[in-house]
Every structure is written in structure tokens, then in C-alpha cells.
Amino acid sequence: MIYGDNRIEFSEIGKTNIQSHDEPFSIVKEMKTVSKMITIGGLMRQEFKLEDSKGNLKTVAVYHKPDWILKVVKWASAFTGEVRYYLDLYYHSEFLSVYRIEGENEWINNQDKTRMNFTEDEQRILKKVEESFKLETVRKNRR
């Protein structure tokens, strides 16, 4: 299997044996008193599965679309009410942590506090992914 430059190539495997499934990225986060479902509708999770010798489907690769956005967190200050989106990115062969204050059009590098210069297209994609962040209670845990 070869991965890179927004593509996955499988060698020595017939493409008809591989199944691909796309869905919005979501995880369940277990907290002390509740379970929360985090869904990021603008960040797609693509999963590739291959049937093994026993006929069971096995996951052989998972990646995000767009693949340069690795993680999104929405945070609100209890004191000021300011809402921020924090993102982990793999951008131009570099791992970055950036944030944007909700309602503003500027992303700040979290390490050195400098302004990021994303293209208009990149800004549109980032906003779409950030603003699709949804948090909902799945289950209240009894403790």
C-alpha cells in the first residue's frame, strides 16, 4: 500500500476487492457524567476495507478529506464567552496547531502567535469544517 499526495494506491490487490466508505467524521467522548458525540460534518472520514481469506472485511486504511485537517476542537471561555476553533493541520509538510476566534477571518499559529496566510480557498474549507462542529449528549452516565 502506498499513501501520499491525496491518494492511496494498492499494489498487488485487485481494485474490485477494495471497498471504500465515506462518512462525516464523528467520535464519542466519554466524560465523567455523560457521553458526548462530536460530529464534524465538513470533515469526511474515508475508510478502505478489504475482504480477508475468511470473508471478513478488514480496515486497511483510513484518512480524512481534506487530508490536511487532522483535528478540530471548539472551545468557549466560561468567563468572556469567546468561542475559538482550534485545529491541528498538516500544512505544506509541517504539523501546525492554529486557532480562529469565531466571527473573525484570521487564523493564528498557536506556537508563535503569528497570523497564518491561508489562500481564500483554504479559508473557505477551514471555515466549512470548523463551523460544522457539533457536540451532543449521547448518554448520561450514572455515577
Side-chain angles (χ1 to χ4, degrees):
M1 179 172 63
I2 302 166
Y3 174 75
D5 297 330
N6 299 324
R7 62 188 167 84
I8 294 180
E9 293 179 9
F10 295 93
S11 56
E12 300 177 26
I13 299 174
K15 289 186 180 182
T16 57
N17 297 335
I18 298 171
Q19 296 182 20
S20 174
H21 177 70
D22 290 9
E23 62 185 25
F25 177 83
S26 63
I27 59 170
V28 174
K29 183 174 182 176
E30 298 291 337
M31 302 165 106
K32 288 183 181 179
T33 58
V34 294
S35 296
K36 299 271 188 179
M37 173 70 82
I38 298 169
T39 305
I40 304 168
L43 183 61
M44 296 301 288
R45 180 178 188 269
Q46 188 170 35
E47 188 172 295
F48 290 91
K49 293 188 175 197
L50 183 64
E51 194 173 304
D52 68 10
S53 60
K54 295 180 182 177
N56 299 317
L57 285 176
K58 300 291 183 184
T59 301
V60 292
V62 176
Y63 75 99
H64 293 167
K65 292 189 324 189
D67 65 351
W68 56 287
I69 301 175
L70 305 175
K71 181 180 176 185
V72 180
V73 175
K74 186 175 182 180
W75 174 85
S77 169
F79 300 109
T80 65
E82 180 181 85
V83 176
R84 289 185 181 187
Y85 296 102
Y86 286 89
L87 298 103
D88 288 345
L89 308 174
Y90 185 66
Y91 185 72
H92 295 289
S93 303
E94 191 176 351
F95 287 100
L96 297 173
S97 177
V98 301
Y99 71 88
R100 176 178 72 92
I101 297 171
E102 188 174 58
E104 294 188 7
N105 293 318
E106 173 170 293
W107 284 263
I108 306 298
N109 185 318
N110 211 24
Q111 284 78 28
D112 61 14
K113 306 302 182 215
T114 58
R115 184 178 185 274
M116 298 296 299
N117 293 313
F118 295 118
T119 66
E120 285 185 29
D121 192 43
E122 291 168 339
Q123 289 179 30
R124 182 186 52 75
I125 291 167
L126 287 168
K127 277 187 178 181
K128 177 184 173 189
V129 171
E130 290 170 344
E131 293 170 359
S132 71
F133 186 99
K134 186 167 71 175
L135 181 68
E136 58 189 336
T137 300
V138 177
R139 171 179 79 246
K140 292 188 178 182
N141 300 328
R142 296 180 187 199
R143 292 194 183 226

